[in-house]
């Protein structure tokens, strides 16, 4: 099989071609070893980070941004998103606090990317 891809690891954005089958893998077009490693990982075990939002119980802030604190297997993205979509935050949390711990046993947490006390007006707001 053959796959063309652009490396996203460094600013070179190398255009690479990967030729592979079950036992061999050849990478062409990479200017550094990191590009080769990226291509191999993308073919053999693609991983992704997720950025999304979760619901809250606060009228002033109905949704708040979250992200995974590590990468998950690409083929599990929809399962992780199902879990994220069921989260409802019911207390004031700070940036980095966990809203979903060890999602699907992947050793990855879903954490807040904003500080709620600075976003909610009134008792906690500015």
């Amino acid at each position: 099989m053959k796959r063309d891809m652009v490396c996203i690891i460094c600013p070179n954005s190398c255009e690479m071609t990967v030729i592979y089958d079950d036992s061999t893998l050849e990478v062409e077009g990479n200017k550094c070893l990191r590009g080769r490693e990226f291509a191999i990982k993308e073919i053999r075990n693609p991983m992704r980070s997720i950025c999304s939002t979760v619901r809250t119980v606060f009228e002033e802030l109905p949704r708040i941004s979250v992200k995974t604190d590590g990468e998950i297997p690409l083929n599990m993205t929809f399962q992780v998103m199902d879990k994220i979509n069921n989260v409802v935050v019911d207390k004031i949390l700070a940036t980095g606090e966990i809203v979903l711990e060890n999602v699907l046993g992947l050793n990855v947490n879903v954490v807040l990317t904003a500080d709620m006390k600075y976003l909610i007006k009134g008792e906690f707001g500015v």
Side-chain angles (χ1 to χ4, degrees), residues 27-60:
V27 180
E28 300 171 349
N30 58 300
K31 295 177 183 170
C32 68
L33 289 177
R34 293 186 307 164
R36 177 174 164 61
E37 292 167 4
F38 168 78
I40 291 170
K41 184 177 175 183
E42 190 64 17
I43 296 294
R44 299 273 158 93
N45 186 28
M47 303 288 281
R48 297 292 185 269
S49 296
I50 293 179
C51 297
S52 188
T53 60
V54 294
R55 291 176 287 160
T56 80
V57 298
F58 303 100
E59 186 176 311
E60 306 87 4

Side-chain angles (χ1 to χ4, degrees), residues 7-118:
C7 181
I8 60 171
I9 300 301
C10 76
N12 286 331
S13 299
C14 296
E15 294 182 24
M16 302 181 296
T17 299
V18 183
I19 302 166
Y20 63 99
D21 59 30
D22 291 336
S23 60
T24 62
L25 189 142
E26 182 181 326
V27 180
E28 300 171 349
N30 58 300
K31 295 177 183 170
C32 68
L33 289 177
R34 293 186 307 164
R36 177 174 164 61
E37 292 167 4
F38 168 78
I40 291 170
K41 184 177 175 183
E42 190 64 17
I43 296 294
R44 299 273 158 93
N45 186 28
M47 303 288 281
R48 297 292 185 269
S49 296
I50 293 179
C51 297
S52 188
T53 60
V54 294
R55 291 176 287 160
T56 80
V57 298
F58 303 100
E59 186 176 311
E60 306 87 4
L61 188 65
R63 297 195 76 81
I64 188 82
S65 61
V66 295
K67 69 172 187 147
T68 53
D69 66 1
E71 293 183 325
I72 61 156
L74 177 61
N75 65 354
M76 296 192 74
T77 301
F78 289 110
Q79 293 142 305
V80 172
M81 280 305 304
D82 284 343
K83 294 293 184 186
I84 289 171
N85 289 335
N86 287 313
V87 171
V88 178
V89 175
D90 60 359
K91 61 184 176 182
I92 303 295
L93 299 173
T95 304
E97 286 198 61
I98 296 172
V99 297
L100 188 57
E101 188 171 7
N102 191 19
V103 63
L104 298 175
L106 296 170
N107 294 320
V108 172
N109 303 308
V110 177
V111 299
L112 221 60
T113 62
D115 194 328
M116 293 175 72
K117 74 178 181 180
Y118 293 107

